Amino acid sequence: MRKLLYILIALCAFMSCARMGTPDGGWFDDDPPRVIGSVPAERDTNVTTKKITIYFDEYIKLDNPSENVMVSPPQLEVPEIKVVNKKIVVELQDTLKPNSTYTIDFSNAISDNNEGNPMGNYAFVFSTGEKIDTFEVAGNVIDAQNLEPIKGISVGLYSNLADSAFQKEPMIRIGRTDGSGHFVIKGVAPGEYRVYALQDMDGDYRFSQKSEMIAFTHQTFKPTAGPDIRQDTIWRDSLRIDNIVRVPFTHFYPDDVVLMAFNEVQTERYLLKTERQEPDRIGVYFSYGNDTLPVLRGLNFNADSAFVLEPSEKKDTLIYWLRDTTLVNTDTLSLSMEYLMTDSTGRLVSQTDTLEMVAKTPYAKRLKEKQKAFEEWQKEQEKKKKREEPYDSIYPVKPLEPTYKIPSAMAPNSIVTIEMPAPLQHLDTAAIHLYSKIDTLWYRAPFTFEPVKGKLRQYQLMADWYPEREYSLEIDTLAFTDIYGLSSASYKQGIKVKSLDDFATLEFQLSGVADTNIVVMLVDKSDKVLMQTKAGRSRTAEFFYVTPGTYYVRAYVDRNGNGVWDTGNYEADLQPEDVYYYPREIECKEKFDVTLSWNLTEKPRNQQKPGELVKQKPDKEKKKLQNRNAERARQLGIEYVKKQMVK
């Protein structure tokens, strides 16, 4: 037993020594999958089969082939793509085109099944003709309105340079943008091409629906290639660079195409929905507005003068407020609505629908809730009476409750806005008072009070707000009365106008574009517009009373001078209005006057938008795992030589 114990102790010590310097779990598999063969052979010519089988040296997986695998020329019938153990099988459904180079681009979607080592960008190429076409066209697609990279939009080439080709013929070569909006179209033959982007809704690879996002340019491209050198960094591990090598490669041109994508204005008019979420109003929603408004006729009520209409700016959303409380308390209102809609030929024709507008909350339930509230009020008053506290003997009438958007401290260029919960029947401006404090005395201050243009229930109060002065806004009872007879209670709020020293002034001197009608906008980190101004002939954009903080700036060329950004139209050969971003953030501080020069076209527009504003982030890179063994060896203090590692 004693000898056996000695043997066990020695064996344990030997095993412990044997494990010293060896990483837990052994060395990693850091080799990506390799192609070991295919049928037909890769880069084969005169191919006639539509079935392609690619063999690998290990079990593999293919990430989301419907999104990540792109076949060019584009296939009208979706190819069948499947993984079977150590092979990928692609079966094309379309008839093969003669004398064409076919590219099956797997992007970065192939990795080994166990460790997830990505193979890297891989494309299988073959030709139905005598040669392989090798040219490439690359660039970026961004949203014309906000310069956001667009992911997953198709980008294609046409050798037919006529404008009509985009609408009549499918693209002949195709690529797809990644998370950075970048695209590469491979296997391009020598020739002259036009390039388009298309968010294809029906799989026909041509612009056939107005709802499809598109981009086009009249510029033509002749692809070329030439030798070039790039620098590659070789990492020893995650912390140390082993070497920087100069690698020769073939550079394909053009590689800097920038396409501005947009959606056309949807002029097809149809009824989206009708609803009665609240008992006092009916909502009617169209896909597109029209100056000819619907005609409503009551079927179980008299619709003459029954409504107060609140249209949206584009008249695509119409809110019909019921004037009569009897109608408000009617659970179901039957009516006919005659309106204009687009027929199959694209013409506006009259359509009449019968509508049953049912209140979401029945009148009986609302009445019950009011009764419950009244009973609770009665109980509370009885308790106060027993405690000999002041109590109300009359049930209070609910007042009209406007929303007052009035900051207690504001800039000298501020406008006070008041929004009503329902349309007004009566407005008494004599009941609105503004007082200004000079020294220790209060004086009446002049102001104007008027409706906000295009907003039925919004009003604005404008005055000369002097810096460092106090104001008092006082509104008497009954100043506002809505169409249901509810009146507002009294309201009072003090207002302090900030000192000029609390603000910054920001000025831009613009250049780079010929047009002088430029609208410049100051935006926050969420790209929300805070202030805007027109540059005009002086090409100077000024922002006053800027609260200290970090800002960004974008601008657009207002070609038609209507004060809003306008999209493009393919039929009219009209590009969207040009949008630009100042490429850096701007820090504004108190008492600072900042003047900056901005050449709007100095940078390509796909490089202008600051990264903090970009919402579409690049795809997460599938990192190769080959440095893990080197990192493990570094931690153990031993030299790692890859060729000594046995898989």
Side-chain angles (χ1 to χ4, degrees):
M1 292 295 293
R2 187 178 300 168
K3 289 181 180 179
L4 181 60
L5 180 61
Y6 289 155
I7 292 172
L8 289 173
I9 293 173
L11 183 61
C12 290
F14 175 77
M15 292 178 65
S16 177
C17 292
R19 284 197 302 267
M20 291 182 63
T22 302
D24 294 339
W27 298 99
F28 292 105
D29 172 13
D30 59 9
D31 292 320
R34 290 186 305 110
V35 175
I36 59 174
S38 64
V39 178
E42 193 164 351
R43 302 186 68 80
D44 203 357
T45 56
N46 296 313
V47 173
T48 59
T49 179
K50 295 195 290 183
K51 181 177 180 180
I52 297 92
T53 305
I54 308 171
Y55 299 93
F56 296 85
D57 64 342
E58 58 182 316
Y59 290 96
I60 53 102
K61 56 185 177 183
L62 183 60
D63 181 29
N64 199 357
S66 63
E67 289 188 9
N68 294 326
V69 181
M70 175 68 70
V71 179
S72 189
Q75 304 293 291
L76 298 180
E77 293 291 332
V78 180
E80 292 183 8
I81 304 173
K82 56 186 177 181
V83 175
V84 183
N85 298 327
K86 297 182 181 181
K87 63 183 179 182
I88 294 177
V89 180
V90 179
E91 293 191 49
L92 304 179
Q93 306 301 309
D94 287 1
T95 302
L96 294 178
K97 295 182 178 181
N99 300 313
S100 297
T101 296
Y102 276 75
T103 303
I104 306 174
D105 192 348
F106 293 93
S107 183
N108 203 27
I110 300 174
S111 58
D112 65 29
N113 197 51
N114 294 324
E115 293 286 355
N117 291 294
M119 184 177 177
N121 289 317
Y122 172 66
F124 184 90
V125 180
F126 67 90
S127 176
T128 59
E130 297 288 341
K131 62 177 182 177
I132 298 288
D133 297 318
T134 59
F135 285 133
E136 297 180 1
V137 174
N140 289 79
V141 182
I142 55 179
D143 192 317
Q145 187 172 7
N146 53 27
L147 306 195
E148 276 284 305
I150 299 180
K151 179 180 179 179
I153 193 170
S154 298
V155 186
L157 299 179
Y158 283 91
S159 57
N160 182 347
L161 304 183
D163 291 342
S164 59
F166 188 34
Q167 295 173 300
K168 295 181 178 180
E169 304 172 10
M171 299 166 170
I172 61 171
R173 304 295 302 179
I174 195 168
R176 185 181 290 152
T177 57
D178 60 17
S180 299
H182 185 70
F183 69 88
V184 179
I185 304 173
K186 300 178 180 180
V188 181
E192 187 174 5
Y193 299 93
R194 286 179 66 175
V195 60
Y196 297 83
L198 172 67
Q199 206 164 53
D200 198 9
M201 306 293 289
D202 50 13
D204 61 358
Y205 296 98
R206 60 188 179 89
F207 180 36
S208 56
Q209 301 181 33
K210 278 199 169 186
S211 58
E212 295 173 325
M213 176 176 273
I214 62 168
F216 71 96
T217 174
H218 289 296
Q219 186 178 2
T220 60
F221 304 93
K222 291 182 178 180
T224 60
D228 206 343
I229 300 290
R230 69 167 181 262
Q231 290 187 342
D232 281 1
T233 302
I234 309 300
W235 292 85
R236 176 169 297 186
D237 51 45
S238 60
L239 300 176
R240 297 178 294 176
I241 295 176
D242 189 61
N243 195 11
I244 297 178
V245 296
R246 291 168 58 83
V247 180
F249 74 103
T250 301
H251 198 149
F252 295 99
Y253 304 95
D255 63 349
D256 57 354
V257 178
V258 178
L259 295 174
M260 312 302 297
F262 63 92
N263 284 104
E264 293 188 354
V265 173
Q266 300 303 301
T267 56
E268 292 185 359
R269 178 177 167 85
Y270 51 89
L271 182 64
L272 292 173
K273 65 175 181 178
T274 58
E275 64 181 14
R276 191 181 173 193
Q277 293 289 334
E278 301 294 336
D280 56 2
R281 73 203 76 162
I282 294 171
V284 180
Y285 304 87
F286 290 96
S287 60
Y288 191 72
N290 193 284
D291 288 335
T292 302
L293 298 174
V295 176
L296 273 58
R297 299 181 178 88
L299 301 179
N300 65 344
F301 69 100
N302 184 3
D304 296 339
S305 302
F307 304 107
V308 174
L309 175 61
E310 180 180 5
S312 64
E313 182 179 358
K314 296 181 179 180
K315 298 181 181 177
D316 53 357
T317 298
L318 307 172
I319 305 299
Y320 291 87
W321 292 83
L322 297 166
R323 292 178 180 272
D324 193 339
T325 53
T326 303
L327 297 179
V328 174
N329 296 333
T330 302
D331 288 341
T332 302
L333 296 175
S334 300
L335 53 91
S336 69
M337 182 172 69
E338 183 182 355
Y339 61 94
L340 294 178
M341 64 169 287
T342 306
D343 66 6
S344 57
T345 64
R347 296 183 303 109
L348 284 175
V349 297
S350 180
Q351 168 79 14
T352 301
D353 291 345
T354 299
L355 306 175
E356 296 288 328
M357 306 308 302
V358 181
K360 186 176 180 180
T361 306
Y363 175 64
K365 184 177 180 180
R366 302 198 306 272
L367 193 62
K368 187 177 181 180
E369 290 173 352
K370 289 181 179 180
Q371 182 63 31
K372 182 179 179 181
F374 175 72
E375 291 172 355
E376 290 177 353
W377 174 84
Q378 279 186 318
K379 291 178 182 178
E380 183 63 27
Q381 302 311 309
E382 287 295 330
K383 290 179 181 178
K384 289 182 178 181
K385 187 175 181 181
K386 289 180 180 179
R387 295 195 299 263
E388 297 184 352
E389 297 177 0
Y391 65 93
D392 297 323
S393 58
I394 300 176
Y395 187 62
V397 177
K398 181 182 177 181
L400 182 69
E401 298 178 344
T403 300
Y404 296 94
K405 299 177 182 179
I406 309 171
S408 57
M410 65 185 192
N413 61 342
S414 296
I415 297 176
V416 170
T417 59
I418 304 174
E419 184 172 346
M420 304 299 166
L424 293 185
Q425 183 72 40
H426 176 71
L427 167 62
D428 184 5
T429 55
I432 303 173
H433 315 282
L434 182 66
Y435 299 98
S436 172
K437 186 177 183 182
I438 303 176
D439 295 329
T440 58
L441 300 177
W442 290 92
Y443 298 89
R444 286 188 177 274
F447 66 91
T448 59
F449 189 84
E450 59 189 25
V452 176
K453 185 179 180 180
K455 304 289 185 180
L456 176 67
R457 295 179 292 112
Q458 290 187 19
Y459 298 82
Q460 58 188 14
L461 185 148
M462 294 177 288
D464 292 328
W465 307 105
Y466 291 94
E468 300 183 72
R469 187 174 292 185
E470 291 183 47
Y471 292 83
S472 178
L473 176 62
E474 300 177 15
I475 300 177
D476 299 338
T477 305
L478 308 180
F480 313 118
T481 303
D482 71 7
I483 57 176
Y484 306 117
L486 296 180
S487 297
S488 59
S490 61
Y491 176 85
K492 181 177 181 180
Q493 180 173 326
I495 301 171
K496 175 66 182 295
V497 181
K498 294 181 179 180
S499 166
L500 295 180
D501 291 341
D502 293 331
F503 301 99
T505 300
L506 180 60
E507 179 181 304
F508 278 96
Q509 298 293 334
L510 306 179
S511 63
V513 296
D515 203 310
T516 59
N517 199 12
I518 303 171
V519 176
V520 185
M521 294 166 284
L522 193 68
V523 302
D524 61 15
K525 62 182 180 180
S526 64
D527 214 7
K528 178 184 177 183
V529 178
L530 304 175
M531 304 171 70
Q532 78 174 38
T533 185
K534 287 188 176 181
R537 294 185 179 276
S538 66
R539 297 179 178 274
T540 300
E542 294 178 304
F543 296 97
F544 301 102
Y545 310 121
V546 179
T547 302
T550 301
Y551 298 96
Y552 304 88
V553 174
R554 77 171 185 256
Y556 69 91
V557 177
D558 189 14
R559 288 194 306 250
N560 56 9
N562 65 350
V564 296
W565 179 83
D566 291 299
T567 188
N569 185 282
Y570 188 74
E571 286 282 355
D573 192 22
L574 186 67
Q575 291 283 354
E577 291 180 333
D578 292 328
V579 173
Y580 304 93
Y581 274 81
Y582 187 71
R584 294 177 294 278
E585 67 178 29
I586 302 165
E587 188 71 28
C588 293
K589 299 180 180 180
E590 294 180 353
K591 304 180 184 179
F592 270 60
D593 292 339
V594 182
T595 301
L596 298 170
S597 296
W598 181 13
N599 183 340
L600 279 73
T601 57
E602 183 178 12
K603 281 191 171 186
R605 279 192 277 176
N606 63 301
Q607 300 176 18
Q608 289 187 6
K609 191 169 186 178
E612 295 83 1
L613 299 184
V614 177
K615 297 178 177 61
Q616 174 59 59
K617 301 302 181 183
D619 295 332
K620 290 184 178 180
E621 184 181 356
K622 290 185 177 180
K623 296 182 179 179
K624 294 185 178 180
L625 307 177
Q626 58 191 21
N627 290 326
R628 297 191 304 175
N629 287 326
E631 180 68 18
R632 180 67 62 87
R634 187 186 69 81
Q635 294 173 355
L636 295 170
I638 63 176
E639 187 69 21
Y640 170 69
V641 182
K642 184 173 182 179
K643 65 182 180 181
Q644 295 176 348
M645 297 298 106
V646 180
K647 191 175 177 182

